[in-house]
Amino acid sequence: MAEQPLHEHTLANGLRVVVCEDHVVPLAAVNIWYRVGSRHEQNGVDGKSRTGLAHLFEHLMFQGSANVAEGEHAALLESAGATFNASTSFERTNYYETVPVSHLELALWLEADRMGTLPAALTQENLDNQRDVVKNERRQRYDNQPYGTAFERLCRLTFPPGHPYAHTPIGSMEDLDATTIEDCVEFFRTWYAPGNAVLSIVGDVDAQEAIAMVERYFGNIPPGPAAPPPRPGDLEPLTGIRLEEVDEEVPSAAYFAMMTLPSDGGPEIEAAEMAAEILGGGSGSRLYDRMVRRDQIATEVWTGVTRLVDGPSLAIVEAIGPDPARISDVLDEELARFAEEGPTEDEAARAAAQAERGLLERIETVAGLADALSANATQFNDPARTFTAAERAAAVTAEQIKDAAARWLAPGARTALSYGGSK
């Protein structure tokens, strides 16, 4: 994709602004990334644990601020015909809305009011209500779902206690119950400062007018303290197979595995993710062909990648089948074969094309482009990096994929879960 002109501006309080004009449709996407996620939470390393706080804040930020009553944030956006949401990950929290361009000022005012004044509306009732919402989300999506805690368990197996990535964004019930108003105010004042955020605007806007709006609504927010430096996320290479037997009621026996990959941002992650895609990315993958079609030891098999910037990225293998031990053995056989032979030319070409297509699809809407600009500005200090992503994927060679597979997807180097099936 050809690079589009970007207009960048940093306010005196540290808020970084990126604007990209796109006049195809009369919409404007507003996307703000805060560099705070579950890796920034206290997780017992200093004697205090408050996991789940970053995700809890994703909910609290919609409960009103000094000039917005409870429930009004969503109501105002809905009345304007906007789409909006938020999400939390290990390394960031983002808030986003797409509005008719005539309502851009409304979206910016709402974002500025909660960035500058959220504690004014933070009540015990709001905290209790949203804590219950998050706890119920945990029950529905994790605790009461078959294999729902697999990723959480694998992170605990992969990373040592107290490591920033040893817990996942959903947090624990105990820590959510222990969270106080004081914890929330401290968390907000530590991380929700203008200098710890990037605001991107994409759409049918005039860049200078949009920047002037941002100055008008965000410019008077105090800069706040500098964000603390993140705790190191390094991890020693995995050796051996660290296995946990999971005794849960699940529909079928299953095997889950986690392997570490290079951190996002460097040249190796593209090849490593393509290697994982060739290995288990769908019905055309090596693991599917071997485990489901040929040996018939699994009914489903899938591989996915979670990219991380401040720690190792993660590859996950999920296989549903009656004999987890056999699945583990076959996985090692296929990993060894892949490391020795590398991909075929067709496999490498398909993986590169799929990666390139996925990256282009991500930025084909104003909302997707705004999110990508915020991501690259926040994580790599380079929003224009958005426009070279597909090019980087297309440049990966079969030899690079082979080298990545040999280094990062080696047999016998992973953490794993074995589910025995229904009792």
Side-chain angles (χ1 to χ4, degrees):
M1 179 178 183
E3 183 170 336
Q4 297 171 241
L6 299 181
H7 304 265
E8 298 186 58
H9 178 70
T10 301
L11 275 60
N13 58 17
L15 177 65
R16 185 172 184 179
V17 185
V18 182
V19 181
C20 183
E21 296 184 17
D22 185 332
H23 302 289
V24 175
V25 291
L27 297 174
V30 175
N31 188 295
I32 186 163
W33 272 47
Y34 292 91
R35 193 171 179 81
V36 57
S38 59
R39 80 169 316 282
H40 301 93
E41 297 166 346
Q42 296 168 295
N43 61 353
V45 73
D46 56 359
K48 182 178 180 180
S49 185
R50 288 294 183 270
T51 62
L53 196 48
H55 178 233
L56 176 62
F57 247 87
E58 176 196 322
H59 292 257
L60 290 173
M61 286 280 277
F62 286 95
Q63 297 308 299
S65 45
N67 300 294
V68 180
E70 181 181 353
E72 277 193 358
H73 189 107
L76 287 167
L77 288 172
E78 287 169 352
S79 67
T83 58
F84 59 95
N85 213 328
S87 67
T88 310
S89 75
F90 284 104
E91 299 179 328
R92 57 94 186 125
T93 307
N94 77 315
Y95 302 86
Y96 51 93
E97 46 271 324
T98 300
V99 297
V101 70
S102 57
H103 288 83
L104 174 59
E105 284 197 81
L106 170 66
L108 293 175
W109 176 75
L110 287 169
E111 290 291 358
D113 203 61
R114 61 182 176 182
M115 177 190 279
T117 71
L118 182 86
L122 187 55
T123 66
Q124 189 65 49
E125 182 181 6
N126 279 344
L127 173 57
D128 291 342
N129 288 341
Q130 295 311 303
R131 174 168 37 215
D132 287 344
V133 169
V134 172
K135 289 170 66 177
N136 192 49
E137 180 181 343
R138 180 181 171 94
R139 292 185 191 100
Q140 291 183 341
R141 295 177 55 191
Y142 299 86
D143 297 336
N144 297 331
Q145 279 285 334
Y147 324 109
T149 60
F151 186 75
E152 185 176 52
R153 290 174 180 273
L154 285 169
C155 286
R156 287 203 301 264
L157 271 179
T158 301
F159 298 98
H163 191 281
Y165 297 98
H167 71 283
T168 57
I170 194 63
S172 74
M173 291 288 199
E174 296 77 11
D175 288 349
L176 289 168
D177 283 336
T179 297
T180 65
I181 289 282
E182 291 73 21
D183 293 326
C184 293
V185 171
E186 179 185 4
F187 190 84
F188 179 84
R189 289 178 175 163
T190 301
W191 300 107
Y192 277 79
N196 201 43
V198 171
L199 171 63
S200 294
I201 301 171
V202 176
D204 190 20
V205 301
D206 176 273
Q208 296 311 313
E209 290 180 3
I211 289 171
M213 288 183 198
V214 175
E215 282 279 10
R216 185 179 314 138
Y217 294 113
F218 290 84
N220 290 327
I221 300 174
R231 289 181 288 134
D234 298 338
L235 183 72
E236 293 295 320
L238 298 177
T239 58
I241 299 177
R242 197 178 307 158
L243 178 68
E244 177 183 309
E245 301 278 350
V246 183
D247 184 17
E248 283 185 359
E249 290 286 338
V250 290
S252 171
Y255 185 81
F256 288 70
M258 177 177 281
M259 293 165 278
T260 57
L261 299 180
S263 299
D264 197 5
E268 285 187 288
I269 185 59
E270 313 294 342
E273 184 163 9
M274 286 184 200
E277 173 68 21
I278 293 168
L279 184 69
S283 59
S285 68
R286 291 185 172 210
L287 290 181
Y288 192 95
D289 184 61
R290 173 75 187 276
M291 293 184 182
V292 179
R293 289 197 183 93
R294 290 164 51 195
D295 291 6
Q296 299 183 356
I297 60 172
T299 56
E300 300 175 34
V301 63
W302 172 84
T303 299
V305 170
T306 298
R307 290 199 185 195
L308 299 173
V309 174
D310 294 322
S313 298
L314 304 170
I316 314 294
V317 178
E318 304 177 7
I320 309 299
D323 189 348
R326 176 62 180 151
I327 289 172
S328 177
D329 290 341
V330 170
L331 175 60
D332 272 336
E333 292 172 14
E334 289 302 311
L335 291 173
R337 184 169 73 89
F338 196 10
E340 180 180 353
E341 299 174 359
T344 65
E345 288 187 14
D346 182 59
E347 285 176 327
R350 281 191 288 112
Q354 185 164 338
E356 186 179 4
R357 181 171 61 252
L359 291 164
L360 291 173
E361 288 174 351
R362 180 187 179 189
I363 60 174
E364 67 182 1
T365 65
V366 291
L369 179 55
D371 187 62
L373 293 173
S374 291
N376 281 287
T378 302
Q379 296 179 313
F380 308 115
N381 196 34
D382 182 12
R385 189 176 183 272
T386 299
F387 302 112
T388 60
E391 179 183 319
R392 291 194 302 275
V396 175
T397 67
E399 190 64 28
Q400 289 172 321
I401 295 173
K402 178 184 177 182
D403 291 344
R407 179 175 180 185
W408 299 102
L409 300 174
R414 60 182 178 271
T415 55
L417 306 174
S418 177
Y419 288 83
S422 299
K423 304 300 183 192

